[in-house]
Amino acid sequence: MGHSKVLYALDEQGHYAATPCSGWEAEEIVLDQAIAEFERRAADAWQRARQGRGSALEYHMYHRRMDLVLLAQSTGFCKWRVRRHLRPGAFPKLSDRCRQRYAEALGLTPMQLDTLPEQP
Amino acid sequence: MNAAPAPLDIGIPFDHRQSAHCESGVIASLLRHQNVAISEPMAFGIAAGLGFAYLPFVKFGGLPLFAYRMPPGSIIRGLTRRLGIEMHFETFRQPAAGMQALDQYLSRGRAVGIQTSAFWLSYFPPDMRFHFNAHNLVVYGKRGDHYLISDPVIDIRVECDADSLRKARFTRGVLAPRGLLYYPRYIPSKLDLPRAIRKAILYTTGMMLYVPVPILGVRGIRLVSRKIRNLNPREEHRNKLLLGHMVRMQEEIGTGGAGFRFLYASFLQEAAGVLGKPGLAVIADELTAVGDAWRRFALHAAKMCKGRMPMDYGLLADELLHCAQRERGIYKQLRAEIK
């Protein structure tokens, strides 16, 4: 990314100084791993939604780097309700108000929430 | 959606300096803005920000929480309490009210710190956008629909559109910011640094050594070591996620390296000068060495996750145990040194 951050490191005289640094091996690996895990879940959910075994909501949830617990917390719904809404049967029957809450929490328009993109 | 407030065009002169950690960076720069000369490590040290906690019951994406520092909010509160500084804190029920209050402070020429989620900040690089609700930054102006922001973990000044900032300030869930906004209200004319440093070191070392809970402090590190040793080799995918998660908490989430150990060593070095105790600088060097050991652990764990090294839970557990033992010695020495 070329994004730099600050590391506290010793200079030649052995004094600590805030030093810009652009990441190192360990950090890159674990960051890639975390992002890959979200992408894997989103891709799985996309696949399921395509085949009618999952909902677009589930895809959007992982796409926004959330999970069931986080989505429940950020909408204010309880977990079992969110779990139900994630099922392909329940999702299209959601009321506009529920839909609005999901859309708000995920930063999408209600229209976007209903649709699955062409690519995961 | 909300009635648009009158457009503002304000840029309060504010010294932007990139720091390692968001909270210590924000409070240090807010104090510098009021002519209090304080460095980020000094702010972190006096706040007694260093710590260790393993919280298996707090889950992030199904993984337990590893914290290398005290909980969010405690840096600002700890620092200002020990220095006798009074802070003004304000939270809001209604997002609109929160945004309006922010605009009012800006139009009165006051730069304020706010708590936000990291995910919704539009200027964050996509790699860094995770749902973490206790990010801190300073707003120092507004131009049209964009807020001018000094974000301590970003190298340059940035801007964020009002809609994203509103969303970031009013996310819900664990550690929800509820629009939290703050600034120093009263700063004593004379700050007693030596006394604050002493108290903070006693607090941190006491917390690391003597809190009678197995998930905190040095005992917490040892517990994690045992947990890693006993991981079931058949659940490798999950174990890799767990190790990767731990390394991210240590290295990735604005810690200044080695889970705040380098930041604290820097504080000890500075404290040696303030208190006139060269012994503290020697201990700082030892803590640096432990920081290197933490980083070795991180590198090995990451390589094992990636398959660049054979998975060896025993080795990682030993490395953690080594860190725990050495930190224990260091905290005891520290207590002896400042008594």
Side-chain angles (χ1 to χ4, degrees), chain A residues 1 3-5 7-8 14 16 24-25 27 29-30 33-34 37 64-67 73 76 104-106, chain B residues 18 40 61 120 126-129 131 167 174 237 240 244 248 252 256 263 266 269 288 295 303 308:
Chain A
M1 264 308 286
H3 162 73
S4 98
K5 54 169 134 188
L7 184 75
Y8 278 83
Y16 264 101
W24 61 300
E25 192 181 355
E27 199 183 298
I29 293 175
V30 293
Q33 183 199 28
E37 178 67 12
R64 289 298 198 187
R65 297 185 184 170
M66 289 198 185
D67 60 9
Q73 284 164 352
E104 169 73 20
L106 293 166
Chain B
Q18 194 184 10
E40 187 199 5
W120 300 106
D127 285 9
M128 283 170 65
R129 295 177 71 169
H131 291 280
K167 221 162 159 37
V174 179
H237 181 71
K240 281 182 176 176
R248 269 182 62 218
E252 170 64 28
L263 188 55
S266 176
Q269 209 173 54
T288 306
R295 292 203 119 194
K303 280 185 164 175
R308 291 182 196 163

Side-chain angles (χ1 to χ4, degrees), chain B residues 230-273:
Chain B
N230 296 333
L231 284 175
N232 181 352
R234 269 176 296 184
E235 289 178 27
E236 196 158 296
H237 181 71
R238 201 193 132 73
N239 297 346
K240 281 182 176 176
L241 287 180
L242 183 84
L243 289 172
H245 178 69
M246 182 173 178
V247 173
R248 269 182 62 218
M249 294 294 145
Q250 183 186 315
E251 297 295 334
E252 170 64 28
I253 319 278
T255 70
F260 299 96
R261 269 57 189 168
F262 291 155
L263 188 55
Y264 201 74
S266 176
F267 156 70
L268 290 179
Q269 209 173 54
E270 216 180 314

Side-chain angles (χ1 to χ4, degrees), chain B residues 30 46 48 55 87 102 120 149 153 256 259 265 269 273 314 318 334:
Chain B
L30 281 177
I46 293 180
L55 305 180
M87 293 294 287
L102 178 60
W120 300 106
I149 288 171
V153 302
Q269 209 173 54
D318 289 343
L334 261 179

Side-chain angles (χ1 to χ4, degrees), chain A residues 30-57:
Chain A
V30 293
L31 185 60
D32 284 351
Q33 183 199 28
I35 291 173
E37 178 67 12
F38 277 114
E39 282 171 358
R40 188 182 68 82
R41 288 183 190 179
D44 281 358
W46 184 83
Q47 202 57 257
R48 275 198 299 276
R50 267 282 140 122
Q51 297 162 353
R53 292 186 293 125
S55 64
L57 180 61

